[in-house]
Amino acid sequence: MINFERKKNVNIVALVDNTQFGIAAAEHGLALAGVFEASLILVRTKLLENMDEIKNHLISINPDIEIKEQTFKKIGDKSFIKFINESETAALVLAASKIKNEYVFWHKKVLKLILKLRVPSLVCGRKGGVQTDYKNIFLPIDSHQQTKEKVLWAGYFYRFYKSNIKVLTYNYSDEYLRNRIKHNFNFLIRLYSNLEVEYIHETLDFDKEFSIDEKAIQLAHDNNAGLILIMTTKYKNLFDYIYGVPELEILANDQNLPILCLNRRDDLYVLCT
């Protein structure tokens, strides 16, 4: 049975440096650590000049968060992946550029990295984070079974931070898709009812040009959404190989919205005890 009690001694890991991107990742990491009452572990990228400047900047924002440091020879190597997957890491935070070579991480490189991880990854752009970013979150629900993990994570934000959750679903004419959406939504109803999680549900007319995740990006500004939860693509189809997977466009959103990415798995990653 899932119990929304906090795990103790969990960490948020942020990849940081002295660029606008690295500082934004540090600030989002600090904000998430505040939400989940976690420690913040700063991992330096090759662009980092002075870790003390980053730490002092974060302490000036929130002196109550414990800040640690960790060093790896290469971000993404076996030791890094093992550390993220096997330590008490709740989420990885990193920034991504929309333009190749503008920053050490750009969207294709970021996606390649986070697909190796068991834990969720929060991807941001140049815009730094504050805890209020996560007061309004979008939870788009699609037909995939693994979408249930997004439901869990949105529940964490409500339980630990009283975030406003807006659930988005498409109104499909196809009976199979409609039933799959209903199945996932019924899971949400049962879980949130048992755990007393409040949410708002909006059903949208199906738009064949955009996935429900992409539609969430379009609606985010007018709804003051500060975070969107998405699932990454596990099995690529022909169009994904030709045009790229849908989440690449989402990570490159012009609004610099932070995106919490969860990998599709057959089990559920549970943050709580």
Side-chain angles (χ1 to χ4, degrees):
M1 179 178 178
I2 298 170
N3 182 3
F4 272 17
E5 297 298 326
R6 296 180 190 272
K7 277 186 179 179
K8 295 182 179 179
N9 304 318
V10 297
N11 304 302
I12 302 295
V13 176
L15 304 186
V16 306
D17 53 50
N18 300 97
T19 69
Q20 286 181 304
F21 291 99
I23 293 172
E27 291 179 358
H28 276 287
L30 186 75
L32 275 188
V35 170
F36 293 108
E37 294 185 357
S39 299
L40 174 62
I41 299 179
L42 303 179
V43 175
R44 64 184 66 229
T45 75
K46 62 183 180 181
L47 298 179
L48 183 67
E49 297 174 359
N50 190 335
M51 180 67 88
D52 288 339
E53 290 183 5
I54 297 288
K55 291 178 67 175
N56 290 336
H57 171 64
L58 296 179
I59 291 170
S60 71
I61 297 173
N62 187 345
D64 297 325
I65 301 296
E66 181 183 10
I67 300 177
K68 309 173 187 178
E69 296 180 38
Q70 187 78 25
T71 302
F72 297 92
K73 289 184 178 180
K74 183 180 179 181
I75 303 299
D77 65 10
K78 289 183 179 179
S79 63
F80 176 81
I81 300 299
K82 183 177 181 180
F83 172 76
I84 297 296
N85 285 338
E86 296 183 7
S87 65
E88 292 294 331
T89 299
L92 173 69
V93 182
L94 69 169
S97 168
K98 296 184 290 185
I99 304 171
K100 189 176 182 180
N101 299 326
E102 182 185 29
Y103 182 53
V104 62
F105 298 110
W106 70 302
H107 292 87
K108 287 187 178 181
K109 187 175 181 180
V110 162
L111 189 58
K112 186 177 180 180
L113 170 61
I114 65 179
L115 286 173
K116 300 176 183 178
L117 305 179
R118 177 173 174 80
V119 305
S121 299
L122 187 142
V123 182
C124 62
R126 296 175 183 269
K127 182 182 177 183
V130 294
Q131 280 188 237
T132 52
D133 286 342
Y134 314 127
K135 273 302 182 184
N136 297 308
I137 63 176
F138 266 7
L139 174 59
I141 299 294
D142 59 22
S143 60
H144 296 283
Q145 179 180 356
Q146 292 85 355
T147 295
K148 295 181 177 67
E149 189 162 352
K150 282 199 296 187
V151 174
L152 276 174
W153 270 87
Y156 297 149
F157 278 94
Y158 176 85
R159 190 63 175 248
F160 298 157
Y161 194 55
K162 292 300 179 185
S163 299
N164 301 310
I165 302 173
K166 187 160 190 176
V167 181
L168 301 176
T169 57
Y170 267 149
N171 183 20
Y172 289 102
S173 58
D174 181 88
E175 183 177 1
Y176 172 79
L177 292 175
R178 195 165 60 244
N179 287 335
R180 292 303 306 167
I181 295 292
K182 183 178 179 181
H183 175 77
N184 285 339
F185 192 69
N186 284 341
F187 170 82
L188 179 151
I189 292 173
R190 292 193 301 271
L191 180 69
Y192 285 1
S193 176
N194 289 337
L195 298 172
E196 299 180 342
V197 174
E198 298 179 3
Y199 62 93
I200 296 173
H201 177 216
E202 182 175 353
T203 302
L204 306 172
D205 292 334
F206 175 57
D207 186 340
K208 65 180 181 180
E209 299 295 327
F210 302 100
S211 70
I212 191 65
D213 292 343
E214 292 168 321
K215 183 62 68 172
I217 290 287
Q218 296 175 14
L219 300 174
H221 182 267
D222 290 342
N223 289 266
N224 199 29
L227 181 69
I228 297 177
L229 283 68
I230 71 168
M231 304 297 298
T232 58
T233 300
K234 185 174 183 179
Y235 302 111
K236 295 181 181 179
N237 58 35
L238 178 61
F239 293 102
D240 294 331
Y241 282 106
I242 295 174
Y243 301 108
V245 292
E247 55 264 34
L248 284 176
E249 290 293 326
I250 295 171
L251 296 182
N253 72 87
D254 292 330
Q255 302 176 51
N256 272 319
L257 278 169
I259 308 296
L260 188 67
C261 303
L262 300 101
N263 294 328
R264 301 182 192 275
R265 297 197 318 272
D266 295 328
D267 63 329
L268 290 178
Y269 175 81
V270 180
L271 178 62
C272 302
T273 54

